[in-house]
Amino acid sequence: REWLRKNYADENFVTSGRKSSKDGGVIIAFGDDPKFIDKLIKQDPYYKNDLAEYEITHFEASMIHENLANFI
C-alpha cells in the first residue's frame, strides 16, 4: 500500500481497486508517456516480486462528468 500512497501523493494515480472478479486490480493513472508508466510499474512491489501480470490500456476520454472536469 505504501507504493500506492506514494503515487497518489505524487499525483500519478486517479483511482485504484480490486476487480469484482477478485482476480486482480485496476489502476487508472495520469500520464500519456509509456516510458513513465513503465517506470511506475517497475516500482510496484508486485512487479518486483513477480506476483502480477500487467496490461496497459491507453485511452482518450471523450466525455467526463462535470464534477471531475477540474481534476483531470
Side-chain angles (χ1 to χ4, degrees):
R1 289 200 177 256
E2 185 59 34
W3 177 76
L4 289 170
R5 285 188 197 100
K6 179 187 181 322
N7 280 288
Y8 278 107
D10 292 346
E11 298 183 354
N12 294 326
F13 292 167
V14 178
T15 189
S16 62
R18 290 184 191 168
K19 291 170 48 179
S20 298
S21 58
K22 298 183 181 179
D23 63 346
V26 173
I27 297 172
I28 297 179
F30 290 107
D32 57 2
D33 179 358
K35 290 180 184 179
F36 176 73
I37 299 300
D38 191 51
K39 179 181 171 185
L40 290 179
I41 289 171
K42 288 181 179 174
Q43 296 169 356
D44 182 354
Y46 284 94
Y47 177 88
K48 290 179 178 181
N49 293 293
D50 199 27
L51 297 172
E53 296 178 16
Y54 299 81
E55 180 180 343
I56 299 171
T57 303
H58 178 79
F59 78 100
E60 295 180 22
S62 58
M63 296 182 76
I64 186 167
H65 191 280
E66 64 185 43
N67 292 345
L68 298 176
N70 291 330
F71 297 104
I72 297 183

